[in-house]
Amino acid sequence: MEKDHGSGPGRPADALGMTPKEMRRLGHLVVDLVVDHCESRADGPAIQQGTPEELRAVLGGPVPEVPGDADRAIRTLVDTALANMQHGDHPRYFARVPGPSSFAAVLGEWLGTGHNAIATSWGGGSGPTTVELVVVDWLRELLGMPEGTDGILVSGGSLANLTAFATARAELGDGVAYLTDQTHSSIARDLRALGFPPDHVRVLRSDEQLRMPVGELAAAVAADRAAGRRPLMVVATAGTTNTGTVDPLPEIADLCRAEGLWFHIDGAYGAPAALSATGAAALAGMERADSLVIDPHKWLFQPYDVGCVLVRRPGALERAFTINAEYLNTSAAGGEVNLRDRSLELSRRSRALKLWLTFRVYGAAGIRAAISQGIALAEFTESRLRADPRWEVVTPAQLGVVTFALTHGGDGAHATRAASLAASGYAAVTSTTVHGRSVLRLCTINPTTTEDDIIQTLDRLATP
Ligand code: PLP
């Protein structure tokens, strides 16, 4: 049939009346401001925090009733709102999990936003849906999961893990979940939100290397069975946030298979390391997961937000989340997937465009090299610490994370040193605890970080 697009001149380009000329002018201004930020971020602070009064004084006020100056408003956002935050893309932001997003990903995000892309149903978004299915399959392949594994992009690790847990329970029914004291704190919240009662959440003390103790896991499973409870799933971590530790995945996979348990892996932080040779060795066994979470906004160079859950059983996500039973299992047959049926989100933006563009622009090789560099930088940090009598390494470099302590008087000083370094603006590091011991922690996954950045940061931390 001939298409009828009903074209005609004179229709406004902007829903609220901005002219195309002004749209271009402001759009170019925004691009310039962002590229300026990318070029000069190393000269600014790694983290900055304002007071509520300061921020409200500039950003607050009554509802703006009449049109305002767009240039001024944009600059206010840049100078005040966007200045006062952790700059996770700064080369010396080593705290928590940095967010070194790539520019191709930013462009993908802008394109999707500019087109108001929606990835809810096949009928309403076949293009963005295809991009998402393709991207999820690229991730599946890179992480070694079998063909037929399904997946979905959500806002991040917390929601990706929750999506996996809801799916496990829909497939297998109620039961006990096994974690460790190193499992990310969002996981206990996910389980609580899903209605797991406290006696269905078993938190094991991690072993000396901060790993899940498989012997104690087996004993806990047996004890629960003996007490009439039903063991449901094990939540292993592939790269803990605190120390980058990987649980003994092959042994846990064996136990899950023998006991008929769902094997979930939270690789929100660490799973991208599988793209590099060193990371792949550390993460062996990850491909055996029933469900696996990876957060591209952590270590795949994506801006917030995007997390991904992969589920080995074809159709399990749809069985858990289909919004209308009439559609159940009708969508995937011809490749016409309705992504609204794979998570709790109905209207959902296309988080896949940025990832797709990143892979197309830099190639997996470019991403792999950047990940390898992050791993190597943590190893460099460890070697500097070992060569310096002022420092003791507490946990070695693992997947881009190293923790360490002052040889003398660390306990009281770590938090103060980290805070004054952050206040100086030079760098941001985390002060945390490892099995109750106070430590400092660097996460070195930003490929724009130099060895000199690390040398200077360690030196400032060592100096009272
Ligand atoms: N799991 C791990 C291992 C994490 O490191 C994090 C966040 O740092 C999460 C889950 C939660 O992810 P998000 O903050 O994207 O919800």
Side-chain angles (χ1 to χ4, degrees):
M1 199 181 30
E2 208 172 302
K3 301 268 182 189
D4 175 10
H5 298 295
S7 58
R11 200 189 300 276
D14 173 37
L16 293 181
M18 193 181 286
T19 64
K21 193 171 170 216
E22 185 69 341
M23 288 161 69
R24 284 183 207 285
R25 190 184 69 76
L26 292 174
H28 292 155
L29 169 65
V30 167
V31 171
D32 284 340
L33 288 167
V34 170
V35 178
D36 286 350
H37 160 75
C38 295
E39 281 189 313
S40 65
R41 62 191 153 211
D43 305 331
I47 186 167
Q48 186 169 306
Q49 187 180 319
T51 65
E53 297 75 32
E54 284 164 359
L55 295 175
R56 285 258 164 195
V58 181
L59 300 169
V63 177
E65 184 56 37
V66 294
D69 182 327
D71 292 73
R72 190 132 45 93
I74 287 171
R75 286 183 194 278
T76 300
L77 283 180
V78 172
D79 295 345
T80 303
L82 299 174
N84 284 288
M85 58 182 203
Q86 65 181 51
H87 295 288
D89 55 357
H90 189 289
R92 290 182 300 278
Y93 184 86
F94 303 110
R96 305 181 187 111
V97 179
S101 59
S102 61
F103 195 65
V106 172
L107 294 176
E109 190 83 306
W110 282 346
L111 280 172
T113 304
H115 288 81
N116 206 6
I118 185 160
T120 289
S121 67
W122 185 261
S126 50
T129 298
T130 302
V131 173
E132 184 154 344
L133 295 172
V134 166
V135 159
V136 163
D137 206 52
W138 286 347
L139 294 179
R140 172 202 67 73
E141 188 183 326
L142 290 165
L143 300 179
M145 296 277 285
E147 274 183 46
T149 297
D150 285 338
I152 182 89
L153 302 180
V154 293
S155 65
S158 305
L159 269 292
N161 284 314
L162 182 137
T163 305
F165 301 156
T167 306
R169 207 164 53 174
E171 290 290 291
L172 300 184
D174 288 343
V176 180
Y178 300 86
L179 340 171
T180 77
D181 54 12
Q182 302 300 306
T183 307
H184 194 267
S185 51
S186 62
I187 295 229
R189 181 174 64 176
D190 285 338
L191 296 171
R192 200 167 71 228
L194 288 171
F196 279 69
D199 71 338
H200 279 186
V201 181
R202 198 78 59 242
V203 181
L204 305 169
R205 182 173 163 81
S206 51
D207 67 15
E208 286 290 290
Q209 278 87 47
L210 304 155
R211 294 163 27 122
M212 184 175 273
V214 182
E216 282 157 44
L217 172 64
V221 168
D224 279 322
R225 283 203 204 285
R229 286 183 288 265
R230 172 156 187 258
L232 170 63
M233 69 172 169
V234 177
V235 180
T237 307
T240 60
T241 324
N242 226 16
T243 60
T245 303
V246 181
D247 282 330
L249 305 178
E251 290 86 340
I252 300 171
D254 289 345
L255 182 92
C256 287
R257 185 178 299 157
E259 294 282 348
L261 305 180
W262 185 279
F263 180 28
H264 176 77
I265 300 180
D266 177 10
Y269 168 68
L275 272 73
S276 75
T278 326
L283 294 166
M286 192 166 69
E287 70 290 347
R288 293 176 64 185
D290 289 301
S291 50
L292 171 60
V293 162
I294 172 171
D295 257 4
H297 68 200
K298 292 187 167 58
W299 205 356
L300 279 179
F301 312 105
Q302 302 301 299
Y304 304 110
D305 56 20
V306 56
C308 176
V309 56
L310 297 168
V311 177
R312 173 182 297 263
R313 291 186 184 199
L317 283 166
E318 267 99 354
R319 286 192 291 278
F321 289 105
T322 292
I323 202 164
N324 181 339
E326 281 171 29
Y327 301 132
L328 191 60
N329 271 348
T330 57
S331 60
E336 297 184 1
V337 174
N338 292 313
L339 290 172
R340 65 173 176 230
D341 290 336
R342 291 193 178 185
S343 81
L344 283 173
E345 290 183 306
L346 180 54
S347 298
R348 51 193 303 281
R349 66 202 187 84
S350 176
R351 299 185 177 94
L353 300 172
K354 54 187 169 187
L355 258 169
W356 187 93
L357 204 59
T358 306
F359 274 98
R360 280 280 171 116
V361 170
Y362 307 102
I367 299 169
R368 185 173 287 119
I371 292 171
S372 300
Q373 199 171 329
I375 292 176
L377 276 169
E379 286 163 1
F380 172 78
T381 309
E382 180 185 342
S383 70
R384 292 289 303 188
L385 290 162
R386 290 204 188 279
D388 185 338
R390 295 173 295 180
W391 293 115
E392 182 191 335
V393 172
V394 177
T395 58
Q398 298 176 98
L399 303 186
V401 179
V402 60
T403 70
F404 50 101
L406 284 163
T407 320
H408 299 295
D411 268 16
H414 291 144
T416 326
R417 302 264 175 106
S420 56
L421 186 62
S424 77
Y426 183 78
V429 308
T430 295
S431 98
T432 179
T433 58
V434 171
H435 271 177
R437 178 174 183 192
S438 159
V439 297
L440 291 166
R441 167 188 173 280
L442 255 61
C443 183
T444 61
I445 62 174
N446 187 335
T448 71
T449 302
T450 62
E451 292 185 350
D452 191 56
D453 286 326
I454 287 176
I455 293 168
Q456 297 295 333
T457 298
L458 293 180
D459 223 50
R460 286 167 200 237
L461 283 169
T463 315

